[in-house]
Amino acid sequence: MLKMNHLSKVYRTEVVETYALRDFNIDVKEGEFVAVTGPSGSGKTTFLTIAGLLETFSGGEYHLDGIEVSQLNDNARSKIRNEKIGFIFQAFNLIPDLNVYDNIEVPLRYRGMKGAERKQRIMDSLERVGLSSRAKHYPAELSGGQQQRVAIARALAGSPRLLLADEPTGNLDTQMARGVLELIEDIHRDGATIVMVTHDPELAARAQRNVHIIDGQVVDLSEEPRFHSHPEETTQSQR
Amino acid sequence: MQISPILSALRHHKAGTALIAMQIALTLAIVCNTLFIIQQRVAHLSRPSGIDEAHLLRIQNQWVGQHGDYAPLLAADLATLRHVPGVVDAYATNSVPLSGGGWSTGLGLKPSQNGPTAMTAIYFADDHTLPTLGVKLVAGRNFRADEISDMPALSKPTPPFVIITRALASKLYPHGDALGKSVYVAPDKPSTIIGVVRRLQAPWTGNFAASFSDNSTLVPFRLITNGTNFVLRVRTGQMGNVMRTAPKALYAANRMRVIPDDDGVMPFSAIRAKAYASDRGMAILMAVICVMLLAITAAGIVGLTSFWVGQRRKQIGVRRALGATRGDILSYFLTENLLIGMGGVLLGIALAIGLNLWMVTRFEMQHLSLWYVLAGAVALLLLGQGAVFAPALRASRVPPVEATRSV
Ligand SMILES: Nc1ncnc2c1ncn2[C@@H]1O[C@H](COP(=O)(O)OP(=O)(O)OP(=O)(O)O)[C@@H](O)[C@H]1O
Ligand SMILES: [Mg+2]
């Protein structure tokens, strides 16, 4: 589903070149649930933005669903994001000017879906995250956990093949985090491929596979204990 | 396609939306009415005088000292002028079109009529007047040389016959049968209409003669007084020469006169420019105000949209992440502006018509043509789209990765 070979990402500013990813290799199979861990600044978000076609990379290859994505133009990338990929962000990223219903509708409209089908999908996904009664609410009128569930509903409504989540529970307390993770596991059971960045060892433990990133490179921990926490990681996770 | 979510999102930006819509509405109302006034000014100042202005020159002569009888002096001057090289013809009169000063009187159809049938300008004329001015007869005939009599200043003119303009003729005799009929210039003695000319404008361009600016009456008199207007018809290309040689010839014939330096010798192009200077100035001023208003409105739209784009960078990134193309983002802002613009324009149309109605009652304005309002509305919508384009393009260039970088 998602395969990166010798991929590198360089951020250039006037004075420095930062290798956010270097000789980065990963292969995520269709239907897999992968948790990505690693210290702060190691390149987890960078990996996810490249995987989600939000950003281009500097070298190497990336095949998404069998397509070499570096050849694609901006519109083609938008189309793939819209049809194949669902995003869940740490900061929820709902559009504050739109109510819950309209927020979930955004990607469906960009897909050019008919009104009736949009409505059906929005109601279904709201039902799945248990927020049917909040369709007319605005993001500011919801708790953090509820906002993240709306974001999940928004990703869900497009029935993505690949769900990318960047610390989806980072801004939530333990109980809400558990609810969100259950929803993600739900989506996984429906057949979607999941890549989730997390600082929380407990959440990472529930994935099928853990990928550890250090200094822009993958360290496979499947042979080692399922997780180990770096000292700086625990402090960072409190942010 | 995405009108309803744009509208609901706009409800969260009421102040900015209302501000721009109001600005568009006011601009539309003011610009429509101003353009309409400009158009009327331009129509006013470009109306034909009926005379062949390009070939005409006016010389103002003032006798000084004791001369006794002015009649032979006048005859001698006319003979002198007609012999100046480059001069085709010449005549003497009390006043000319566009000059700003002249005689007006009321005309009746009956003796000692109560209240005039029509107002008219009075021009003293002789047999040379029509050929000199290049004014065309449409009916009847010109004066003959033996029909012109001397008229001392301050006496009431009682012409035996007159030549009038077509506009005046149809005012006096709406059935088109004015020729040969009588009209009362003096209260008691009728004058016969022996000729009708196509057009000859009155001397006044302001409000005073607005209701009778094309009503003129030529009377067969030489004005015998110490001041005279000479009108010269000049051959093509000779205007500059004649302006120098004609006054010299007059001075050579008789030094006891004054031809004022500033406006004593004026071609009709200059007389026209002077007559309409304030009208033209007003039209230009109004046009400048229109352009400034439009510029301010465009700047307001650019400013507010730029602010909104900055404010919404994050959600633009989110939309891009969710699958919006650059084109989708561009069209979002264009559509948003079009919706605000249409709101403003609807309000503006009402305001424009209201403003016009107010001016109709207050200042005798004409009713604003709806085409002006519609054209103005379309122009403002286009202005809005033009103004919003640059910020919208900037919005479309917000990278999708903006969604992940929370600052
Ligand atoms: N736009 C950018 N310009 C320059 N450097 C960047 C940019 N984005 C990320 N980086 C750098 O790339 C490296 C990886 O950043 P990234 O955000 O991927 O880390 P992360 O693993 O997600 O960290 P965290 O756990 O704190 O979210 C960091 O050194 C960071 O400073
Ligand atoms: Mg990160």
Side-chain angles (χ1 to χ4, degrees):
Chain A
M1 180 77 205
L2 184 163
K3 190 164 158 56
M4 294 177 177
N5 288 324
H6 309 297
L7 188 134
S8 63
K9 174 69 184 175
V10 191
Y11 287 113
R12 285 194 178 81
T13 58
E14 274 165 33
V15 278
V16 287
E17 281 191 356
T18 317
Y19 270 86
L21 300 175
R22 69 173 83 220
D23 195 19
F24 190 91
N25 298 293
I26 194 168
D27 187 356
V28 178
K29 297 273 179 279
E30 174 103 48
E32 228 183 337
F33 182 176
V34 175
V36 177
T37 56
S40 181
S42 57
K44 304 182 298 296
T45 297
T46 305
F47 157 60
L48 220 56
T49 57
I50 291 172
L53 306 188
L54 299 179
E55 217 170 7
T56 55
F57 48 91
S58 318
E61 284 176 16
Y62 170 27
H63 292 268
L64 174 64
D65 208 12
I67 304 164
E68 164 56 280
V69 300
S70 59
Q71 308 301 325
L72 300 174
N73 67 18
D74 195 78
N75 282 354
R77 294 160 68 87
S78 296
K79 192 167 153 65
I80 292 180
R81 283 199 295 273
N82 183 255
E83 291 175 356
K84 292 191 178 168
I85 305 175
F87 290 97
I88 302 173
F89 305 94
Q90 177 174 1
F92 320 137
N93 281 0
L94 298 177
I95 294 170
D97 299 339
L98 299 179
N99 66 25
V100 165
Y101 186 99
D102 290 340
N103 257 287
I104 299 174
E105 198 174 33
V106 168
L108 306 183
R109 277 183 182 268
Y110 289 132
R111 201 182 286 192
M113 202 178 271
K114 290 258 183 326
E117 188 183 355
R118 290 203 303 264
K119 184 167 186 190
Q120 185 64 49
R121 283 181 178 239
I122 294 165
M123 292 327 245
D124 286 352
S125 56
L126 269 178
E127 171 119 40
R128 259 181 94 173
V129 301
L131 287 174
S132 299
S133 58
R134 304 295 171 115
K136 294 288 167 221
H137 285 232
Y138 283 89
E141 300 163 353
L142 300 175
S143 75
Q146 287 170 331
Q147 285 186 53
Q148 193 60 301
R149 272 146 67 197
V150 173
I152 293 173
R154 181 172 67 184
L156 205 75
S159 22
R161 304 258 311 282
L162 174 63
L163 184 74
L164 302 174
D166 193 356
E167 301 180 39
T169 60
N171 283 350
L172 303 178
D173 67 30
T174 326
Q175 197 177 343
M176 288 200 281
R178 201 164 296 137
V180 164
L181 189 76
E182 275 163 19
L183 280 170
I184 291 175
E185 285 174 331
D186 225 30
I187 297 169
H188 177 235
R189 265 193 297 280
D190 287 350
T193 309
I194 315 273
V195 177
M196 177 178 75
V197 170
T198 180
H199 275 113
D200 187 337
E202 197 184 322
L203 295 188
R206 288 165 71 167
Q208 291 170 323
R209 176 154 74 102
N210 275 15
V211 167
H212 200 69
I213 299 179
I214 294 175
D215 223 2
Q217 282 189 304
V218 176
V219 183
D220 200 331
L221 296 180
S222 48
E223 306 302 308
E224 299 175 29
R226 298 241 33 196
F227 65 87
H228 64 220
S229 68
H230 293 255
E232 82 251 56
E233 200 179 76
T234 31
T235 52
Q236 291 292 333
S237 65
Q238 297 308 312
R239 276 187 306 156
Chain B
M1 180 194 96
Q2 43 178 348
I3 285 171
S4 71
I6 292 178
L7 279 180
S8 45
L10 274 180
R11 276 193 274 133
H12 296 259
H13 302 274
K14 284 199 190 81
T17 304
L19 207 68
I20 290 298
M22 282 300 295
Q23 204 180 351
I24 289 174
L26 277 176
T27 305
L28 178 62
I30 294 171
V31 167
C32 280
N33 279 284
T34 311
L35 285 180
F36 185 58
I37 294 172
I38 291 175
Q39 179 262 326
Q40 287 180 317
R41 290 287 98 177
V42 169
H44 175 71
L45 61 82
S46 53
R47 91 164 76 183
S49 62
I51 63 178
D52 184 10
E53 292 173 33
H55 295 105
L56 295 178
L57 177 66
R58 180 191 67 177
I59 298 178
Q60 290 182 313
N61 181 62
Q62 193 76 32
W63 295 110
V64 291
Q66 292 295 316
H67 289 281
D69 189 4
Y70 291 113
L73 295 174
L74 186 63
D77 275 359
L78 279 172
T80 304
L81 288 172
R82 284 170 191 155
H83 281 99
V84 171
V87 172
V88 182
D89 207 347
Y91 76 100
T93 184
N94 62 326
S95 175
V96 292
L98 307 178
S99 64
W103 299 7
S104 70
T105 189
L107 297 181
L109 294 174
K110 293 194 289 280
S112 304
Q113 182 178 317
N114 239 345
T117 305
M119 290 296 292
T120 182
I122 297 285
Y123 288 123
F124 283 37
D126 60 17
D127 50 320
H128 290 269
T129 298
L130 296 186
T132 302
L133 291 177
V135 169
K136 302 265 180 315
L137 270 171
V138 291
R141 64 171 181 87
N142 192 3
F143 299 131
R144 286 194 311 269
D146 61 311
E147 291 170 339
I148 314 300
S149 53
D150 291 350
M151 168 68 58
L154 301 176
S155 54
K156 286 221 167 80
T158 52
F161 32 75
V162 294
I163 296 173
I164 64 176
T165 57
R166 187 156 58 182
L168 179 56
S170 58
K171 187 83 201 287
L172 295 170
Y173 292 100
H175 301 297
D177 50 354
L179 194 67
K181 295 268 168 59
S182 289
V183 64
Y184 285 83
V185 180
D188 42 357
K189 275 179 135 177
S191 313
T192 307
I193 299 169
I194 62 160
V196 177
V197 294
R198 184 190 293 161
R199 183 189 288 275
L200 181 59
Q201 195 177 350
W204 312 277
T205 54
N207 280 336
F208 164 66
S211 61
F212 64 98
S213 64
D214 286 325
N215 294 1
S216 297
T217 302
L218 298 170
V219 293
F221 293 134
R222 276 184 293 268
L223 182 64
I224 303 304
T225 175
N226 65 337
T228 307
N229 290 293
F230 293 113
V231 180
L232 280 61
R233 182 175 188 80
V234 177
R235 245 182 269 288
T236 307
Q238 295 293 305
M239 186 60 80
N241 285 340
V242 174
M243 283 175 69
R244 264 178 284 111
T245 55
K248 271 190 200 153
L250 288 176
Y251 278 123
N254 191 329
R255 297 213 56 82
M256 299 301 285
R257 69 172 89 228
V258 172
I259 299 170
D261 281 339
D262 50 345
D263 58 354
V265 183
M266 263 178 116
F268 257 85
S269 56
I271 293 176
R272 166 171 286 273
K274 194 175 160 195
Y276 290 116
S278 71
D279 285 297
R280 209 179 38 238
M282 185 59 82
I284 290 170
L285 180 70
M286 286 184 176
V288 168
I289 289 173
C290 274
V291 169
M292 274 168 48
L293 253 180
L294 290 171
I296 290 169
T297 303
I301 292 171
V302 171
L304 186 73
T305 315
S306 300
F307 172 69
W308 276 349
V309 169
Q311 205 183 32
R312 298 185 201 164
R313 273 187 80 82
K314 177 95 175 186
Q315 66 156 288
I316 294 166
V318 171
R319 286 177 184 276
R320 293 281 278 128
L322 295 176
T325 60
R326 285 188 189 142
D328 288 329
I329 301 296
L330 186 70
S331 87
Y332 182 97
F333 282 93
L334 291 179
T335 310
E336 182 182 76
N337 173 267
L338 195 65
L339 292 173
I340 299 173
M342 289 198 301
V345 154
L346 284 181
L347 189 64
I349 289 174
L351 273 179
I353 294 171
L355 183 61
N356 172 250
L357 288 180
W358 179 72
M359 289 196 291
V360 167
T361 54
R362 278 298 294 273
F363 308 114
E364 296 179 6
M365 268 287 289
Q366 290 178 37
H367 282 281
L368 181 59
S369 152
L370 266 183
W371 289 112
Y372 269 82
V373 187
L374 290 181
V378 171
L380 267 171
L381 289 178
L382 288 177
L383 179 86
Q385 294 286 288
V388 87
F389 195 79
L393 205 61
R394 235 177 298 132
S396 76
R397 298 209 178 108
V398 170
V401 73
E402 197 79 21
T404 59
R405 305 286 178 200
S406 41
V407 181

